[in-house]
Amino acid sequence: MAEERPPRLVDYFVVAGLAGNGAPIPEETWVPEPSGPLRPSRPAEPITDVAVIARALGEEVPQGYTCIQASAGGHPLEFSAGLLGGTQPVICYRRGRDKPPLVELGVLYEGKERPKPGFQVLDTTPYSHSANLAPPGPGHPRTYLTYRRAAEGAGLHALGITDLCLVLPSKGEGTPHTYCRLPRNLNPGMWGPAVYLCYKVGLAKANTLVYEAELLGRYPEEDNEAFPLPESVPVFCLPMGATIECWPSQTKYPVPVFSTFVLTGAAGDKVYGAALQFYEAFPRARLSERQARALGLLSAVERGRALGGRAVRSRRAIAVLSHWPAFPAFRAFLTFLYRYSVSGPHRLPLEAHISHFIHNVPFPSPQRPRILVQMSPYDNLLLCQPVSSPLPLSGASFLQLLQSLGPELAVTLLMAVLTEHKLLVHSLRPDLLTSVCEALVSMIFPLHWQCPYIPLCPLVLADVLSAPVPFIVGIHSSYFDLHDPPADVICVDLDTNTLFQTEEKKLLSPRTLPRRPYKVLLATLTTLYQQLDQTYTGPEEEASLEFLLTDYEAVCGRRARLEREVQGAFLRFMACLLKGYRDFLRPLTQAPSEGARDVDNLFYLQGFLKSRERSSHKLYSQLLHTQMFSQFIEECSFGSARHAALEFFDSCVDKVHPEQEKPETAPLVELEELSGSELTVFITPPEEPPAPEGSESTPQYCYDGFPELRAELFESPQEQPGALPVPGPSRSAPSSPAPRRTKQEMKVAQRMAQKSATVPELWARCLLGHCYGLWFLCLPAYVRSAPSRVRALHTAYHVLREMESRKVVLPDEVCYRVLMQLCSYYGQPVLSVRVMLEMRRAGIVPNTITYGYYNKAVLESKWPSGTPGGRLRWAKLRNVVLGAAQFRQPLRDRQRQQQQQQQQQQVSAHQEAGISQTESYLERPSPTRPLQRQTTWAGRSLRDPASPTGRLVKSGSLGSARGAQPTVEAGVAHKMPPDLPPPARRSPMESLLRPRERPGSTASESSASLGSEWDLSESSLSSLSLRRSSERLSDTPGSLQPPSLEILLSSCSLCRACDSLVYDEEIMAGWAPDDSNLNTTCPFCACPFVPLLSVQTLDSRPSAPSPNPAPAGASSSKDAPVPGGPGPVLSDRRLCLALDEPQLCNGHTGGASRRVESGAWAYLSPLVLRKELESLVENEGSEVLALPELPAAHPIIFWNLLWYFQRLRLPSILPGLVLASCDGPPPPQLPQAPSPWLTPDPASVQVRLLWDILTPDPSSCPPLYVLWRVHSQIPQRVVWPGPVPACLSLALLESVLRHVGLNEVHKAVGLLLETLGPPPAGLHLQRGIYREILFLTMAAMGKDHVDIVAFDKKYKSAFNKLASSMGKEELRQRRAQMPTTKAIDCRKCFGAPLEC
């Protein structure tokens, strides 16, 4: 499969500004003034000087200076008024453009501090007197003004102080909007009011015309279908409009201004933009006389005379649009393009660099974690893969939020956002607005802001400030030079760290927040705020290549850590704020009605409010009635695209403890470890065009400004081999629920597995839970292939209940989730409600994803009609029939007593008849009543008293426990009379000690075949269809034939390190709790190895017609019954044991030769298999699980799934896939029709799970149970190919069995150890002593008659007894130890033992 192409970093490149086609600018395109109260016009020149004069000393205001005589509220100002010796100082200032403007002011208390670096102290007046502002007298520090001036050559557009004012707090005056107030009092004396100096910083520009920006160019020209270019992009690139300005001719061009913006689609998806604004020359010829006069190009006195020394400039912007907030990379790329356009000449056109960057620079991925883009020999940028976090990716910068606002104001804004106030954020730095506004909407996670949100609002959209709905808007501070903000809006100035609000819209007090979570949040933010200054790095340093390759990761790592800590502080607060909210969710349990989606029906608001602190009720009352909380409850109730993030938040809620006064030690955001790859992908600049031979290429591209884009100069994208885009995976169609777990669920499952691995019982149940999870992942394909989808869903529900009854450790809720979504798709809401009740009964609280699937199933499915209809009538009829049956029960009891009396009278007659009558009954054909083989100890018949037909059942078997339902696995097509007399009872030890003595007059002995215990109807015969596994097949000759395809599976694996066989439960016990580790641990040598799952298929279907088919296995035993004959008599022990072998079926051999195919694949842990299966379904869809190509395309996954499903006796379509894969490609079927190869005849495929290996090693020592069968002349599946040691005689086997029968297991172990001899000279058994004795006992006595739990207790006692004399270490070296507790628990948890 070709490698999937990574997503592009940039989608579009655009140029915005005034149309440059040379046509005159129409005057009607001026930007209309936004609505709102107008402010008086402000002076256009900045403040360049400030002075202090002493009026008491006769000083006057210098020429050109303006004196501040009143406060901002109009109150008179008199410093040191009425004091003897007071100088009555007054502050004056001067405007102009003859020198750089002032950019910052300060107040200095002499003797208490030193001036700040770069500040100058105003210590004298223009008349050389002291400029001390403080009143005279002891105890008053001398107070002076300080100032800092802009650097020389800062240009016309440098920020500067544009206005000054003084405020008197004692008169109720506050800091004016957009002003910065100095914290020091100018009148520190005891007399007079406190006076504070305020100043405003801004851009002082004059002679400017503002127009709406237009789209001048774009690349690519065609829209992407998934993401068309929005029409409003130009106005966001130039939010304050495309301006035409008049400058002095000698003015330098200002530094380009970088800005960012966010566009929100109708579906809530975000598109990030980055723009670079710069100035270019504008021709005067395009201006009308009125426009030229407005710009100051024409004399106002002499009409039409042009003024000299003027230059006309226009503002233009270049921008990129992307789905990724990689703002630093965008800034570097746009800056490179701007420098490229103002320098030259160049050999490549500008269009080549644009198209090269868009087509060849991808977004970093785990395969490409670092991308170094070399744009030119001197310009480069580094892209790093974002830290994988469960929180949604955004352009937020919590560090800039905290640095601009401080801890207290940040918490205040959090409260404003939670209560949905109108919030206006403004700054003179447009690149700061987007990052801070993004942080404001991210700090309330998991809530999602639902109201208008414009992080950088253009001037043409400023009317949104008058909207009657809550909003979060960011705007340039120059907007307030002409307009006052609306009265009901909370304004936040990022440049002065101030918040402005009116009394009518005043925020709640922070005391209304939950007390302890608020205290922890404020303390954490204060601590982090103090660490910010240590992480600053200048932009010049960051631009160097040496910094990118050496210190970039260290510095950015510190910033990223602080960023995560600030974000984690807000996340903890939100988790404490909404702690326990899931307890008040109201699930839908009946047919939905109008208003089912209302928050009152989905959430218990009053109950949640009463559970909170009383002091916080006012806050919660406002929060619960916000739009974002209603949307949050709806997303939790019905699911959404944010389900993974909401599920992560639920895990955070479980971790936090609101009652604590300190944060938790473990961070809430656990970052995923990246692949650890240090790979850096280097992207070279675009190639230069080849020069003609014999000549050098000369530069031919030179620009006076940013050029008009030419389509023929763009490079066409080159399709690279191996990087073609591949179709996306099949995304959870309605019939194919998404089995993918979230990353949070995977983490929880991994931690649960690690915890369970330390407890043996929990580890077995953990593996079992993953096995059931595998089955439910395959459930969509199973239901889709079933003839009756509704019956299949009910089957899955019964499997769910069986799973709960086994007390499994579920790693997640996928089992319930898949069934709920299938119920939704197939219209079974009632069953979905039953599944939810089962979850509650099991004590499982559904997470956000499962809860959403459930409510969707209940809400969107078609409910049955409310009228009872025929269902009630059938229920009444059923009750009548059951009642009549209860009345007839005494009559049946009387008839049964009469039959028993008649049978007792016939017993004596049969005893006189003897064995001859018994044989006559056995030879009499009777095709109407099938019987199961009798395997009781004494050989007497056990008749089911509840059976009216008098059929015989196998004592102690599963069939007798189930009421002896008719089955086909018994395989004996003979009848025994219901009045057969019971023969004489024999001791069980006699048959063990003398297995070769078979008196012809005795009845059958105990079946000793290990295969006899395997119930073919429930396990070996796969439940391919939805019929009951115990459904009786027809008594036709075809139904008694051997299966067409027999599959043998074995997980027994050989450890190469110590040449020992490791069995299934030991392999399970040795697995690691890791979903990427294929190894298990050998219980004998503790070496890791990969276990193998051996597979052997026996195909009996004829490949071609043969006139004389050779019966398989006919020559294996001369005593084999003749095909078509009456079958063996039950008294013949050897032939009865042969019934369980695959060569014999129902008393005769197969009629055709078998094609045998073998293979071995890795035996995967359920944890590993689940991860692989999820990856397969995600990449190829769940439909692949029902295709006949699955066994060949993904054999490891297929055979492991078949093993586990057969191990747990779960219905499956997998055996049918084996049959279909052998038949070739199936014919095309209708989309909704079930595939015929998935529901074949159950008797056509037989799956047998074997405990031991499929093919023995002839060079090894044969197992004892095989030797027992050889000595007993019992036909076996595989004849032992190698020699048999003389010491392993029948006498030894009988002695071992005698000791086991007399509860002397220690003697049996000692006898075997003595016979084998000490290593390395003695015989080497691949199986341990425990396994040899256990298999021998089960082969001799029958698995149904061996209690393995009791055997384990006896063997453990024997091991301890021998350890006292021989030592445990020696017993372990000779492999006499029993399996570990974990292995025994795995065997118990996974059901009955397997066959050999």
Side-chain angles (χ1 to χ4, degrees), residues 39 175-180 199-202 240 404-405 409 413 422-434 436-437 440 454-457 465 471-481 483-486 489-501:
R39 281 185 173 177
T175 306
H177 188 222
T178 69
Y179 278 69
C180 179
Y199 64 91
K200 175 181 174 59
V201 178
M240 301 308 294
S404 302
L405 300 176
L409 191 54
L413 289 185
K422 296 181 180 181
L423 205 57
L424 179 60
V425 184
H426 59 91
S427 173
L428 294 171
R429 295 167 290 175
D431 59 328
L432 185 63
L433 290 173
T434 299
V436 171
C437 290
L440 288 178
I454 309 177
L456 182 59
C457 182
L465 300 180
F471 55 75
I472 295 179
V473 173
I475 201 168
H476 199 276
S477 294
S478 59
Y479 169 81
F480 301 103
D481 291 343
H483 299 275
D484 287 323
V489 174
I490 299 175
C491 297
V492 182
D493 191 346
L494 300 181
D495 301 321
T496 61
N497 190 14
T498 52
L499 182 141
F500 301 91
Q501 57 182 336

Side-chain angles (χ1 to χ4, degrees), residues 598-614:
D598 294 345
V599 66
D600 294 334
N601 296 328
L602 301 176
F603 190 77
Y604 186 28
L605 295 174
Q606 293 300 322
F608 180 73
L609 184 61
K610 292 179 181 178
S611 64
R612 307 293 105 175
E613 300 177 13
R614 190 172 185 85

Side-chain angles (χ1 to χ4, degrees), residues 890-1034:
L891 298 177
R892 293 180 180 178
D893 296 341
R894 184 179 302 175
Q895 291 178 1
R896 187 178 297 109
Q897 292 176 0
Q898 293 177 0
Q899 291 178 1
Q900 291 178 357
Q901 293 177 0
Q902 294 176 1
Q903 290 175 4
Q904 291 177 0
Q905 294 176 1
Q906 295 174 358
V907 166
S908 56
H910 282 289
Q911 289 178 349
E912 294 175 359
I915 302 175
S916 59
Q917 294 182 1
T918 304
E919 294 177 352
S920 64
Y921 280 121
L922 292 174
E923 296 175 0
R924 183 183 306 167
S926 179
T928 58
R929 292 182 297 176
L931 297 178
Q932 292 186 337
R933 187 180 69 243
Q934 169 190 4
T935 56
T936 60
W937 276 105
R940 59 173 179 167
S941 64
L942 295 179
R943 184 177 298 120
D944 185 4
S947 174
T949 58
R951 59 179 178 272
L952 298 179
V953 298
K954 182 178 178 180
S955 66
S957 66
L958 294 176
S960 61
R962 293 188 302 267
Q965 298 177 356
T967 55
V968 74
E969 67 270 21
V972 182
H974 302 90
K975 295 291 186 65
M976 295 189 66
D979 50 358
L980 183 67
R985 181 179 180 88
R986 294 180 57 190
S987 171
M989 289 308 302
E990 294 181 9
S991 61
L992 292 177
L993 299 180
R994 298 292 182 266
R996 287 168 289 183
E997 298 178 2
R998 304 184 190 90
S1001 60
T1002 59
S1004 67
E1005 299 176 359
S1006 170
S1007 170
S1009 171
L1010 245 63
S1012 63
E1013 49 78 27
W1014 193 252
D1015 190 348
L1016 302 182
S1017 66
E1018 294 186 10
S1019 173
S1020 298
L1021 292 181
S1022 174
S1023 302
L1024 300 178
S1025 64
L1026 293 179
R1027 63 172 64 96
R1028 293 176 58 87
S1029 61
S1030 58
E1031 181 179 353
R1032 176 180 174 181
L1033 301 180
S1034 59

Side-chain angles (χ1 to χ4, degrees), residues 264-516:
T264 306
D269 53 330
K270 292 183 178 180
V271 176
Y272 299 94
L276 191 72
Q277 305 173 27
F278 52 90
Y279 285 91
E280 291 183 339
F282 190 83
R284 290 192 181 187
R286 298 184 60 190
L287 299 174
S288 65
E289 182 179 352
R290 179 182 174 187
Q291 292 170 340
R293 188 177 297 107
L295 289 175
L297 297 175
L298 299 179
S299 173
V301 180
E302 301 180 16
R303 184 178 180 85
R305 186 176 70 86
L307 298 178
R310 299 287 191 271
V312 181
R313 303 287 185 262
S314 67
R315 185 158 53 178
R316 181 177 287 194
I318 55 176
V320 293
L321 271 72
S322 172
H323 284 85
W324 316 99
F327 294 139
F330 299 155
R331 182 171 192 165
F333 174 63
L334 294 176
T335 303
F336 163 74
L337 293 182
Y338 172 73
R339 292 175 179 173
Y340 199 87
S341 67
V342 297
S343 61
H346 307 284
R347 295 180 180 179
L348 283 176
L350 191 67
E351 291 84 351
H353 289 277
I354 296 173
S355 56
H356 176 76
F357 191 86
I358 291 180
H359 294 303
N360 298 325
V361 178
F363 186 74
S365 62
Q367 294 77 21
R368 305 169 181 84
R370 292 159 53 97
I371 299 176
L372 181 61
V373 183
Q374 192 73 29
M375 297 176 289
S376 74
Y378 308 101
D379 299 276
N380 47 64
L381 61 90
L382 181 66
L383 293 169
C384 293
Q385 181 187 2
V387 178
S388 181
S389 170
L391 297 172
L393 185 65
S394 68
S397 175
F398 287 89
L399 288 185
Q400 290 184 347
L401 170 72
L402 188 60
Q403 194 168 17
S404 302
L405 300 176
E408 294 82 3
L409 191 54
V411 176
T412 303
L413 289 185
L414 172 64
M415 180 177 294
V417 178
L418 286 176
T419 53
E420 285 188 351
H421 278 72
K422 296 181 180 181
L423 205 57
L424 179 60
V425 184
H426 59 91
S427 173
L428 294 171
R429 295 167 290 175
D431 59 328
L432 185 63
L433 290 173
T434 299
S435 57
V436 171
C437 290
E438 283 281 281
L440 288 178
V441 297
S442 299
M443 69 167 62
I444 61 173
F445 175 84
L447 304 180
H448 185 66
W449 184 260
Q450 299 293 315
C451 302
Y453 170 64
I454 309 177
L456 182 59
C457 182
L459 196 62
V460 296
L461 301 179
D463 286 339
V464 72
L465 300 180
S466 302
V469 296
F471 55 75
I472 295 179
V473 173
I475 201 168
H476 199 276
S477 294
S478 59
Y479 169 81
F480 301 103
D481 291 343
L482 299 176
H483 299 275
D484 287 323
D488 57 346
V489 174
I490 299 175
C491 297
V492 182
D493 191 346
L494 300 181
D495 301 321
T496 61
N497 190 14
T498 52
L499 182 141
F500 301 91
Q501 57 182 336
T502 59
E503 290 295 331
E504 58 183 12
K505 286 293 181 181
K506 196 170 184 180
L507 290 171
L508 296 176
S509 171
R511 296 181 179 179
T512 57
L513 293 172
R515 184 176 60 86
R516 291 181 179 175

Side-chain angles (χ1 to χ4, degrees), residues 604-901:
Y604 186 28
L605 295 174
Q606 293 300 322
F608 180 73
L609 184 61
K610 292 179 181 178
S611 64
R612 307 293 105 175
E613 300 177 13
R614 190 172 185 85
S615 59
S616 304
H617 279 193
K618 185 175 293 186
L619 169 69
Y620 280 104
S621 298
Q622 295 187 23
L623 174 63
L624 297 183
H625 292 87
T626 58
Q627 298 182 42
M628 55 187 178
F629 186 80
S630 300
Q631 179 67 21
F632 170 67
I633 295 300
E634 186 172 350
E635 289 178 345
C636 293
S637 300
F638 299 103
S640 67
R642 300 196 310 139
H643 59 78
L646 296 179
E647 198 263 341
F648 161 73
F649 178 75
D650 289 343
S651 66
C652 295
V653 171
D654 296 335
K655 294 178 182 178
V656 298
H657 303 282
E659 67 279 358
Q660 295 182 359
E661 295 188 357
K662 290 184 179 180
E664 290 72 19
T665 55
L668 297 180
V669 183
E670 298 177 0
L671 301 180
E672 294 185 358
E673 295 184 2
L674 301 180
S675 58
S677 173
E678 296 296 333
L679 175 66
T680 299
V681 178
F682 185 77
I683 297 180
T684 59
E687 297 182 0
E688 297 182 357
E693 296 183 2
S695 63
E696 297 182 357
S697 60
T698 58
Q700 55 181 339
Y701 298 100
C702 186
Y703 308 104
D704 294 333
F706 203 88
E708 181 179 353
L709 301 180
R710 297 165 56 187
E712 64 273 10
L713 297 180
F714 287 106
E715 293 182 354
S716 58
Q718 298 179 358
E719 298 291 343
Q720 301 178 359
L724 297 176
V726 295
S730 302
R731 300 299 180 191
S732 54
S735 59
S736 173
R740 296 180 297 275
R741 295 176 291 175
T742 62
K743 294 182 179 180
Q744 186 64 26
E745 286 180 316
M746 293 180 182
K747 290 181 181 179
V748 172
Q750 187 71 17
R751 288 195 295 264
M752 189 179 299
Q754 293 173 356
K755 181 180 179 181
S756 301
T758 58
V759 182
E761 184 180 359
L762 290 182
W763 175 244
R765 288 158 55 186
C766 177
L767 295 179
L768 191 62
H770 279 277
C771 290
Y772 276 102
L774 292 171
W775 188 82
F776 277 95
L777 292 184
C778 302
L779 181 61
Y782 174 75
V783 175
R784 188 167 50 250
S785 306
S788 174
R789 313 290 172 75
V790 177
R791 186 179 301 175
L793 291 177
H794 283 274
T795 301
Y797 174 71
H798 291 301
V799 171
L800 194 70
R801 297 192 61 182
E802 178 187 356
M803 175 189 70
E804 294 173 350
S805 65
R806 301 185 71 168
K807 307 296 183 182
V808 301
V809 176
L810 285 178
D812 46 57
E813 303 170 9
V814 172
C815 301
Y816 300 95
R817 191 183 309 159
V818 172
L819 186 53
M820 286 178 180
Q821 189 170 358
L822 286 174
C823 292
S824 172
Y825 180 70
Y826 292 109
Q828 297 294 318
V830 179
L831 184 59
S832 184
V833 174
R834 293 172 64 186
V835 174
M836 173 60 74
L837 295 178
E838 287 296 331
M839 287 191 70
R840 290 188 171 183
R841 190 178 295 112
I844 301 176
V845 179
N847 61 14
T848 303
I849 308 174
T850 307
Y851 191 75
Y853 280 134
Y854 164 74
N855 279 328
K856 250 185 175 179
V858 175
L859 183 67
E860 299 177 358
S861 300
K862 183 179 180 181
W863 280 72
S865 59
T867 58
R871 184 183 298 272
L872 182 59
R873 297 190 184 96
W874 279 112
K876 291 181 178 180
L877 180 60
R878 175 178 177 272
N879 293 336
V880 171
V881 173
L882 291 178
Q886 293 294 330
F887 281 109
R888 294 185 59 184
Q889 188 64 30
L891 298 177
R892 293 180 180 178
D893 296 341
R894 184 179 302 175
Q895 291 178 1
R896 187 178 297 109
Q897 292 176 0
Q898 293 177 0
Q899 291 178 1
Q900 291 178 357
Q901 293 177 0

